[in-house]
Amino acid sequence: MGNIHEFDEAIKLLFNDFSYLTIDLPGHGKTQVLGDDECYTMASTAQAIISLLDKLNINQCYLIGYSMGGRLALYLTLHFPQRFIKVVLESASPGLATEIKRLARIKSDAQIARKLSRIINKDDFYLFLNNWYQQPIFGDIKNHPQYQSMISSRLANHPLNLVKSLQFMGTGSQPSLWKLLTENTIPLLLLVGEKDEKFIDINIAMTKKCNFAKLQIIHQVGHNIHLENTLAFVQTIQDFLFRSPTS
């Protein structure tokens, strides 16, 4: 539920070493979807990003994605490996491995979508977001000094557009990437928060599937590492990106 400003604080610390491109995904921020619902899918979104890179003459780059953006970043890595040098996946997953789990998740996401579709004003949206961030994966994020600023940013999205994103690029709807992960040869840095036990387990399983994936657990944070400890997030990324492939 973020937008192009999600990584602003991290970018301030990375600005001297990198140029950067941030993107509002379909259903988020100021991106407008002019086509049909297919435009919200992971495959279509990935192709749109590759087309944008082509338009900007960016043949290769580093790639960083958080949560849903991390799932998309992994899809891009596995389907367009020639375009990315190294990839950072923050609190991400390869989707769900079995049809039973995917169907269960789609059913669960449909319940969330119904709640979003009933939102008629900012107060309702605010209550939804506050409830959302009570999930265990987010740890103590509600006590973070930047929490209200994050909520304000989330409120800039339109609930019905988020419904579309959830329906067509949710964890249940996306293609499972577990099998393709075994074939990956692009260096991956998997970042997870110490308080996000669910994603620690997922990312440990990912490292067992892929010899090119390295897991880094960031202490005293939950799912949203880049907000809760921006400095540790940036320092870990810098170490990974500047390290030579053989080191």
Side-chain angles (χ1 to χ4, degrees), residues 25-210:
L25 299 180
H28 298 72
K30 296 182 179 180
T31 289
Q32 296 182 357
V33 176
L34 303 179
D36 59 19
D37 291 344
E38 179 68 22
C39 296
Y40 288 88
T41 65
M42 185 165 283
S44 293
T45 302
Q47 185 57 62
I49 290 174
I50 293 298
S51 296
L52 176 61
L53 294 178
D54 288 342
K55 185 176 181 180
L56 297 174
N57 295 316
I58 301 174
N59 295 319
Q60 276 196 319
C61 62
Y62 299 115
L63 180 63
I64 299 176
Y66 161 62
S67 198
M68 184 186 77
R71 290 189 284 110
L72 174 62
L74 181 57
Y75 182 96
L76 282 161
T77 304
L78 298 176
H79 287 82
F80 303 94
Q82 72 279 10
R83 305 303 295 264
F84 305 106
I85 307 164
K86 292 183 177 182
V87 177
V88 179
L89 306 178
E90 177 192 358
S91 304
S93 84
L96 298 168
T98 68
E99 184 69 15
I100 292 175
K101 289 182 178 180
R102 287 196 292 272
L103 290 174
R105 182 57 183 263
I106 289 172
K107 184 177 180 180
S108 173
D109 284 348
Q111 294 176 338
I112 299 171
R114 282 194 292 272
K115 291 179 181 178
L116 277 167
S117 64
R118 295 186 188 119
I119 292 173
I120 59 175
N121 55 50
K122 290 287 186 181
D123 289 340
D124 290 343
F125 198 8
Y126 184 87
L127 289 173
F128 173 88
L129 291 170
N130 264 316
N131 288 330
W132 181 261
Y133 288 106
Q134 288 179 2
Q135 295 181 83
I137 64 171
F138 292 107
D140 301 321
I141 196 170
K142 295 188 75 172
N143 297 321
H144 193 278
Q146 296 301 316
Y147 175 71
Q148 290 301 328
S149 175
M150 182 193 73
I151 292 295
S152 295
S153 176
R154 303 292 191 260
L155 286 169
N157 289 310
H158 194 291
L160 292 181
N161 291 337
L162 293 176
V163 167
K164 291 282 191 181
S165 178
L166 184 60
Q167 288 175 329
F168 295 98
M169 206 162 75
T171 306
S173 300
Q174 75 155 83
S176 174
L177 302 173
W178 282 102
K179 290 183 179 180
L180 286 177
L181 187 60
T182 63
E183 304 170 7
N184 173 64
T185 58
I186 304 301
L188 301 177
L189 175 62
L190 311 181
L191 295 181
V192 290
E194 180 183 30
K195 299 178 182 179
D196 187 359
E197 295 180 2
K198 174 182 176 181
F199 277 81
I200 288 176
D201 291 343
I202 291 171
N203 281 258
I204 288 174
M206 291 172 67
T207 61
K208 292 178 179 178
K209 290 281 187 180
C210 178

